[in-house]
Amino acid sequence: MSIISTDLTKAVELLNNDELVAIPTETVYGLAGNIFSEKAVKAIFETKARPFFNPLIVHIPNIEYLETIVETVPEKAKLLAEAFWPGPITLVLKKKSIIPDLITGGKDTVAVRIPNHPITLNLLKQLEFPLAAPSANPFNRISPTKAEHVENYFKDKIQMVLDGGACKSGIESTIIGFENGEPIIYRLGSTPVEAIEAVVGTIEVKNKKEVAPEAPGMLERHYAPKTKTILTTNIAEAIETYKDLKIGLLTYNDILNDDAIAYKIVLSEGKNLEEAASKLYDALHQLDQQQLDIIIAEQLPDYGLGKSINDRLQRATK
Ligand code: TXA
Ligand code: MG
């Protein structure tokens, strides 16, 4: 029997009983549980096979709730919250002691955001606690952007996927921390750097693990298909190199046909980066199911959401 359902009342009941529910957001599906339930939070880590040192994002219903869980909100964090919430920006702020150490991997900061999805906002309003929710995929695998992706990963290991359709943005939130009151990007994501700079001015990006132990989730290899995947700026050359293998191609807008390609996905014929981002993970899920020898992925233009997409493709091919 499918665990996919639109029954909000059932989702509320399960969450109130320390169970997990996969929830839709505008970025990717999350594997959600009550932040104050040790049972639920432990189950999140176990179900994902995620190491305990990698902290979880806390999803809250409104800006007012922030003061319940964080000590201070720097001026620029306020500006970002007002500009982008509900939406795909996560702020890392000094936590209050009410936030369990299990959520933050023992750190004194907590990552928090208001997701922009009508069903999940409605759900959060009906609960008396925020939801901890990492992306609903096993550790290091491709994030889910459809209810079916979550079901395929976890089958009956979880009781319910709350169906909210395909995720609109399609890549995870942009994570921003603060050092001496100044914002720093720890993870590129669905809110482009340019949009953030329009609100708070020039911002540093520190998203490599070596320089950002602040965001322990930024592993070099991540978001990865099982099939060997390479990233290139020259697809013609890569196809020639691997022509004896069964090739899958992931391209931005190239619609040429080549007999050497067994399976091909075009992310956006009209070269629209938002469309490409929304289709990226579903494309990787599909390619990974074709029994290919290799996936050749084309690098996208390196601005706007293209930067975030390239970041994910690089981690998928490490
Ligand atoms: O779009 C998203 O952010 C999705 C949806 C479900 O909201 N969630 C998501 O969660 O991508 P997850 O757990 O897959 O990624 C959370 C990232 C990890 O890289 C983690 O290391 C980082 O956030 N993080 C969490 N708490 C942190 C903290 N206190 N300091 C620094 N990084 C933190
Ligand atoms: Mg994740």
Side-chain angles (χ1 to χ4, degrees):
M1 207 188 73
S2 176
I3 54 167
I4 299 174
S5 157
T6 55
D7 188 347
L8 199 61
T9 311
K10 187 179 168 207
V12 170
E13 191 186 306
L14 286 168
L15 291 163
N16 279 333
N17 285 316
D18 304 318
E19 301 290 343
L20 305 186
V21 174
I23 56 166
T25 81
E26 78 281 33
T27 58
V28 301
Y29 275 76
L31 185 59
N34 175 358
I35 65 161
F36 301 121
S37 161
E38 190 176 318
K39 179 185 166 201
V41 175
K42 279 192 170 152
I44 291 175
F45 284 99
E46 274 155 26
T47 308
K48 275 183 64 89
R50 176 180 177 123
F52 282 106
F53 63 76
N54 192 355
L56 306 176
I57 295 178
V58 170
H59 296 70
I60 58 172
N62 50 54
I63 289 202
E64 292 68 42
Y65 199 89
L66 253 193
E67 63 187 53
T68 311
I69 58 172
V70 309
E71 285 291 348
T72 48
V73 185
E75 204 45 48
K76 289 188 175 174
K78 260 180 220 151
L79 291 176
L80 290 167
E82 278 158 14
F84 295 107
W85 281 353
I89 273 206
T90 294
L91 300 175
V92 177
L93 302 169
K94 278 268 172 307
K95 83 178 189 83
K96 278 192 173 157
S97 57
I98 188 176
I99 295 291
D101 287 337
L102 197 53
I103 297 280
T104 64
K107 294 162 85 59
D108 63 356
T109 53
V110 61
V112 54
R113 81 180 192 99
I114 307 177
N116 189 15
H117 192 292
I119 294 175
T120 290
L121 280 173
N122 193 351
L123 175 67
L124 284 166
K125 285 183 184 128
Q126 294 188 41
L127 297 169
E128 275 166 21
F129 44 81
L131 291 173
S135 51
N137 50 279
F139 187 56
N140 280 353
R141 302 289 304 283
I142 308 161
S143 297
T145 54
K146 291 179 170 172
E148 299 81 63
H149 297 158
V150 184
E151 183 174 49
N152 289 340
Y153 276 142
F154 296 121
K155 305 279 181 328
D156 55 4
K157 279 198 199 143
I158 57 174
Q159 294 190 43
M160 179 176 178
V161 184
L162 182 59
D163 192 358
C167 302
K168 283 216 176 80
S169 313
I171 41 183
E172 296 81 354
S173 60
T174 304
I175 300 182
I176 301 182
F178 293 84
E179 297 177 14
N180 305 318
E182 286 305 307
I184 294 182
I185 295 181
Y186 292 151
R187 176 175 75 180
L188 294 168
S190 271
T191 305
V193 177
E194 292 86 338
I196 294 165
E197 292 190 325
V199 176
V200 292
T202 310
I203 189 167
E204 189 187 342
V205 180
K206 252 198 197 180
N207 68 335
K208 295 280 183 295
K209 207 192 164 210
E210 320 80 77
V211 295
E214 295 86 355
M218 297 313 290
L219 301 176
E220 285 284 291
R221 180 174 165 78
H222 211 134
Y223 312 100
K226 284 202 161 145
T227 315
K228 178 185 161 72
T229 304
I230 62 153
L231 182 61
T232 177
T233 50
N234 187 339
I235 14 183
E237 193 181 271
I239 292 169
E240 179 57 28
T241 307
Y242 295 104
K243 63 178 186 296
D244 297 330
L245 298 181
K246 189 171 176 198
I247 297 176
L249 183 64
L250 178 64
T251 138
Y252 184 26
N253 72 316
D254 185 293
I255 48 169
L256 291 175
N257 281 314
D258 187 316
D259 289 342
I261 303 164
Y263 196 88
K264 163 168 163 169
I265 296 181
V266 179
L267 287 175
S268 176
E269 282 183 29
K271 291 197 180 190
N272 177 314
L273 289 168
E274 280 173 21
E275 182 186 15
S278 72
K279 290 187 179 165
L280 178 69
Y281 288 152
D282 186 50
L284 289 173
H285 280 280
Q286 276 187 54
L287 284 158
D288 211 16
Q289 281 162 10
Q290 307 305 318
Q291 261 99 44
L292 301 163
D293 298 321
I294 188 163
I295 298 170
I296 297 173
E298 179 182 23
Q299 190 158 328
L300 269 70
D302 211 36
Y303 55 81
L305 286 175
K307 257 194 203 311
S308 307
I309 296 170
N310 288 336
D311 172 82
R312 298 305 188 272
L313 287 172
Q314 274 153 15
R315 291 175 203 275
T317 56
K318 269 277 150 60

